[in-house]
Amino acid sequence: MEALAELTRKCDAVGAIFCVDNKQDAYACAMENEIDLFLVDIILNGEDAHDVSGIVIMERLRKIKRYEFTPVIFITSLVDQAMNAFHNLHCFDYIEKPFDSVKVEKLIRTALKAPLCDDREKGVFYYRKDGVLYALNVDRMIYLETCFRNVTIYTLDETIELPYASLKNLIKDLPRKYFIQCSRNVVVNRLFIAYADKVNQLVKLRNGKLVKIGGKMKKGFFEEL
């Protein structure tokens, strides 16, 4: 796992890397973050000769809309199982143990460039208010903030109030190449970040707004940024 993580870090423009060693933590990590590439060992429990936990977790994640097309690379010493997963779960490729570091790094680089069939990559964010569906260009959205079960969207020329909205749910529909969460209450548009202060855990936006970076999100925020 550590070897694969180190190879991934060598790739250009790679964001945060999450390492887990069981399917429960893997599922929780995938739900709490936006994953662009999965590297999954088919056998997560080495003490069970019949373990295929890696396949089980990907079968579960493939049922979630935002992970329908996310590239998956399986790691295995059992080629038959890898090929079965290749066809059934539409995985990007598989790595056979023991693996060649040069080939694996090249494969990871290629997978990270794979296009996603995902509407969130478009430059438009859709939201519903009072039964009406609105479209908002993301290059005009500065940041989103939640407070008392309401979400406020701050744009270049207006402030949009969404009563009884959930920031957690809205994040799922935001174009992930633009937006990054810096605290439980605030998501900012990368296009409007003037600078990020790692020492004081602050982000300054181009409109002068200062946003606090949450302590638990600091490491992941700066890695992704």
Side-chain angles (χ1 to χ4, degrees), residues 190-214:
R190 298 169 189 263
L191 299 176
F192 291 94
I193 294 178
Y195 67 77
D197 183 341
K198 193 171 187 178
V199 175
N200 297 304
Q201 295 184 214
L202 290 172
V203 173
K204 183 176 181 180
L205 303 178
R206 282 165 44 193
N207 67 346
K209 170 76 173 179
L210 288 173
V211 178
K212 186 74 174 175
I213 302 170

Side-chain angles (χ1 to χ4, degrees), residues 22-41:
N22 62 79
K23 61 183 180 182
Q24 290 81 11
D25 288 346
Y27 185 80
C29 182
M31 292 299 96
E32 294 169 2
N33 303 279
E34 291 290 344
I35 308 299
D36 297 302
L37 170 64
F38 291 100
L39 300 175
V40 185
D41 199 320

Side-chain angles (χ1 to χ4, degrees), residues 13-16 178-180 182 188-191 193-197 202-203 213 218-225:
V14 70
Y178 291 100
F179 291 89
I180 181 169
C182 51
V188 300
N189 189 338
R190 298 169 189 263
L191 299 176
I193 294 178
Y195 67 77
D197 183 341
L202 290 172
V203 173
I213 302 170
K218 178 182 176 181
K219 184 175 183 294
F221 174 85
F222 281 102
E223 285 182 352
E224 186 175 350
L225 191 64

Side-chain angles (χ1 to χ4, degrees), residues 8-9 11 20 27 51 61 66 76 88 93 119 127 135 138-139 154 190-191 200 204 210 214-215 223:
T8 306
R9 289 188 185 98
C11 298
V20 295
Y27 185 80
D51 181 67
L61 290 174
R66 74 176 188 259
T76 182
N88 293 342
D93 210 329
D119 287 339
Y127 67 94
V138 297
D139 60 2
Y154 296 89
R190 298 169 189 263
L191 299 176
N200 297 304
K204 183 176 181 180
L210 288 173
E223 285 182 352

